[in-house]
Amino acid sequence: TSTRSGPGRRPGPLRVLVPGRLAGGKGERLLEALLPLAPPGIDWYFAGGGERAGRFAAQTGGRALAGYTASELPALVAAFDPDLALLPSLLPETFGYVLSEMQALGVPVLAAAVGAYAERLAGAPEGLRPLPPNAEAFAAALAHWAARPEALPRRPTPPPGLADSLAAWQQLQPLA
């Protein structure tokens, strides 16, 4: 098991950050179905989800921040020190900017196997691969990690660099 750069994990329950917008398919639908199934005792932080963040925080006893700027995100993540980020979008994201932010900040991610999330997380460690897009799969993953939060990887996984991306593209699209 790897550890995030710096000090080890703070003791306590599993800390789950839900960053970004939550309207409809961007997370609201999955969270409405998931939260009643999620294991008790999770420390939730809904950041950037507007009024929906406040509603979900009230439901879980968690915290909410209606919005944040990209420049505020590193401090927000450092202060909360999440064990993982839950990206509850069920829409087929074309890239997933929030996914890139979480990876750059070293936060493991749980996301549905749809769109770019499915492709970009396919090589993730066991237990962090893209999930079936339903509340039951997410609840099972949360229960797994709630029982062993110290086993979550805590090292930044930066997105591939330009040279790696170009090489991968050239393998897929041979130049004439």
Side-chain angles (χ1 to χ4, degrees):
T1 301
S2 62
T3 57
R4 186 176 298 158
S5 301
R9 182 185 186 278
R10 283 190 329 225
L14 180 71
R15 288 182 298 280
V16 177
L17 174 64
V18 183
R21 300 288 168 219
L22 297 173
K26 291 289 280 182
E28 184 175 24
R29 289 186 199 115
L30 180 65
L31 287 170
E32 286 172 344
L34 167 63
L35 294 179
L37 303 176
I42 292 175
D43 187 1
W44 294 94
Y45 190 176
F46 301 88
E51 63 86 16
R52 290 168 181 88
R55 183 173 43 126
F56 290 127
Q59 182 179 345
T60 61
R63 289 170 262 184
L65 177 65
Y68 61 85
T69 65
S71 64
E72 295 169 324
L73 187 58
L76 180 152
V77 168
F80 183 60
D81 190 26
D83 293 306
L84 61 86
L86 189 144
L87 305 184
S89 179
L90 297 179
L91 299 176
E93 304 284 342
T94 57
F95 180 70
Y97 187 72
V98 175
L99 172 59
S100 293
E101 290 175 320
M102 293 300 103
Q103 288 176 325
L105 293 170
V107 181
V109 172
L110 287 180
V114 294
Y117 291 169
E119 297 169 21
R120 295 186 61 207
L121 293 171
E126 187 66 36
L128 294 171
R129 293 196 183 113
L131 299 170
N134 62 66
E136 293 78 12
F138 276 79
L142 288 171
H144 171 82
W145 292 117
R148 56 187 69 70
E150 69 285 345
L152 279 157
R154 297 177 63 81
R155 181 170 301 148
T157 306
L162 184 57
D164 292 333
S165 295
L166 176 61
W169 177 254
Q170 287 172 334
Q171 288 178 356
L172 293 173
Q173 303 293 325
L175 298 175

